[in-house]
Amino acid sequence: MCIRDRGMGGAKAVVDSRTFFRGPAPSKKMKPLHWDKLKMEDEGPSLWHKLYKGDVDAPFNYEEFENMFSQKDVVVKEVAAKPKQVLLLDEKTHQKLAIMLHKLPSIASIQRALLELDNSVLGKEALVVVKDNCPNPMERQSFLKKVGTKPEEEYTSAEKYMAMVITTSEFEKRIGAWLFTLEWTENVEAALKPMNRLEKAMKCILNSKYLPYYMGVLLGFGNMMNFGSTKGNAPSVALSFLNKLEMTKDNRGKTSLYSYLFTTVRTKNPEALQLPEEMAPLFDGIKGLKWEDFEKSVDEAKRAVSIFDNQSKVVKKELEKQGMDTTDPFVPLTAKFIVTANAQLKTIEDNFEALKGLNKNLIEYFNLDPKTGKLEHIFEEIIPFVDKVKKSVADAMKESRRMARKGQKINNGAGLDDVVGKLQEEVIKS
């Protein structure tokens, strides 16, 4: 039988007054069995009706079942609260130093290497890590304020490291000066190598035997094409016209101005096909170089030597106060190295001054405005042009061989076979 009651909010709830479980009520909270409960009338043919009426006897061991399928009692264990660790560093600084120390030798080894300047223990890479993670004044001050709140034997590795940093005279400047002595030679080479390449590139343009010939032919082409116009009768032109040669076609739309130039050179002055060979320095990492990068490189070198000199003097002064200047290897090392560094800096400065002279000459060579003319703009126009000539010479060589294999004779002008043939072999080797 079903009885309808009004539940909360006036909603009708259906309560079945019949009892379908005739066993004892469990004394423990049982685990649930997830099923879908169906409604059933008092009378019916289903097996469920037979069970309800008692036609089928289905007993089981209630006590055993309860013990097996009851919910486990949750035992709440009291965990003793761990005593809060006292840190002498703020969490961020502590974590930073702890991570750093995993990459380095022991703190004792770091200290010994620093005092003895032993780069077999602390090499350049390790010193860079130490320098980049050097505690700042605020972090040191914070540590010193808390230092008496914890016995030394309980110090963490990060705290021991901080204590070592503070007790080492001018720690950061000592690290910086020592690192400079290990990096400077490579930095000098890194500054001089591109300067040397640039010098060769600039000189090859200024001393070129064949580039003036190409420019002369092209100037003649342009003045004839612009004859009678405001652009005609030009004494000199901006180099940007070089990238328009391939796009400028004859009145049939077949032969480009560049192709006609190459044919003219082959027939009138085949020796000038050696232009790519004499311009080889232009293809030695010159593309992309900027004059301002060289200016920055020289300024950075000056600044680095100045900082090193200052750091060395500060550390030496502190060692003198402690009476350790005669025994600490830092003093003789830096005193000797500053002489070497200044000499090498002078070489960098002299090389740059020479480049400045060549740059001025190159700007004048192409009749550019000294205020707006830039070295990289010259390279941006000249390098693709020379590269185009180089490829054309290579193509001409291939065609010459193909014709030779067929037993045909090329007759493109007096002296072409002798001069171009020899040039072709040289270009292939280059």
Side-chain angles (χ1 to χ4, degrees), residues 179-196:
L179 180 60
F180 176 86
T181 66
L182 300 178
E183 291 182 328
W184 174 248
T185 300
E186 289 184 7
N187 291 341
V188 170
E189 292 178 1
L192 290 178
K193 282 183 178 179
M195 284 187 180
N196 292 335

Side-chain angles (χ1 to χ4, degrees), residues 218-276:
L218 287 170
L219 187 63
F221 285 175
N223 275 327
M224 186 169 183
M225 294 171 74
N226 293 325
F227 187 82
S229 72
T230 56
K231 292 185 178 182
N233 196 34
S236 63
V237 290
L239 293 176
S240 56
F241 85 99
L242 292 174
N243 60 40
K244 299 180 177 69
L245 300 179
E246 192 64 51
M247 296 182 291
T248 306
K249 305 290 184 179
D250 66 358
N251 52 25
R252 297 176 302 163
K254 293 183 178 181
T255 304
S256 71
L257 191 58
Y258 169 78
S259 297
Y260 190 78
L261 168 69
F262 187 73
T263 300
T264 300
V265 174
R266 289 182 65 177
T267 56
K268 300 296 183 182
N269 187 11
E271 185 180 343
L273 293 176
Q274 297 179 65
L275 177 71

Side-chain angles (χ1 to χ4, degrees), residues 126-312:
L127 283 173
V128 169
V129 172
V130 172
K131 183 175 180 290
D132 290 345
N133 291 278
C134 194
N136 61 46
M138 188 177 295
E139 290 169 338
R140 299 185 195 192
Q141 192 62 33
S142 176
F143 175 83
L144 289 172
K145 287 180 180 179
K146 300 176 183 178
V147 76
T149 62
K150 185 177 183 180
E152 288 186 24
E153 57 268 21
E154 295 181 10
Y155 278 16
T156 64
S157 295
E159 291 166 345
K160 291 178 182 177
Y161 179 80
M162 177 64 88
M164 184 269 291
V165 169
I166 292 174
T167 55
T168 302
S169 298
E170 298 294 344
F171 178 86
E172 187 172 6
K173 289 182 173 60
R174 188 181 184 98
I175 287 289
W178 183 20
L179 180 60
F180 176 86
T181 66
L182 300 178
E183 291 182 328
W184 174 248
T185 300
E186 289 184 7
N187 291 341
V188 170
E189 292 178 1
L192 290 178
K193 282 183 178 179
M195 284 187 180
N196 292 335
R197 294 201 307 271
L198 182 61
E199 180 183 8
K200 291 178 181 178
M202 296 167 81
K203 284 183 175 179
C204 82
I205 293 176
L206 291 170
N207 300 329
S208 172
K209 176 182 178 181
Y210 304 112
L211 184 62
Y213 168 73
Y214 281 83
M215 293 297 116
V217 173
L218 287 170
L219 187 63
F221 285 175
N223 275 327
M224 186 169 183
M225 294 171 74
N226 293 325
F227 187 82
S229 72
T230 56
K231 292 185 178 182
N233 196 34
S236 63
V237 290
L239 293 176
S240 56
F241 85 99
L242 292 174
N243 60 40
K244 299 180 177 69
L245 300 179
E246 192 64 51
M247 296 182 291
T248 306
K249 305 290 184 179
D250 66 358
N251 52 25
R252 297 176 302 163
K254 293 183 178 181
T255 304
S256 71
L257 191 58
Y258 169 78
S259 297
Y260 190 78
L261 168 69
F262 187 73
T263 300
T264 300
V265 174
R266 289 182 65 177
T267 56
K268 300 296 183 182
N269 187 11
E271 185 180 343
L273 293 176
Q274 297 179 65
L275 177 71
E277 183 181 352
E278 70 171 0
M279 291 289 190
L282 291 179
F283 300 93
D284 185 17
I286 297 302
K287 191 175 181 180
L289 289 181
K290 294 182 179 180
W291 185 256
E292 63 182 23
D293 292 338
F294 290 92
E295 292 176 327
K296 289 179 181 178
S297 176
V298 175
D299 289 341
E300 287 173 1
K302 291 179 182 178
R303 182 172 177 271
V305 173
S306 177
I307 291 174
F308 168 71
D309 191 31
N310 177 264
Q311 289 174 333
S312 301

Side-chain angles (χ1 to χ4, degrees), residues 1 4-5 9 13 18 21 68 97 135 180 331 335 362 390:
M1 179 181 290
R4 294 183 179 275
D5 283 337
R18 297 171 293 179
F21 177 65
M68 291 180 65
L97 295 180
F180 176 86
V331 175
L362 205 57
K390 183 178 181 180

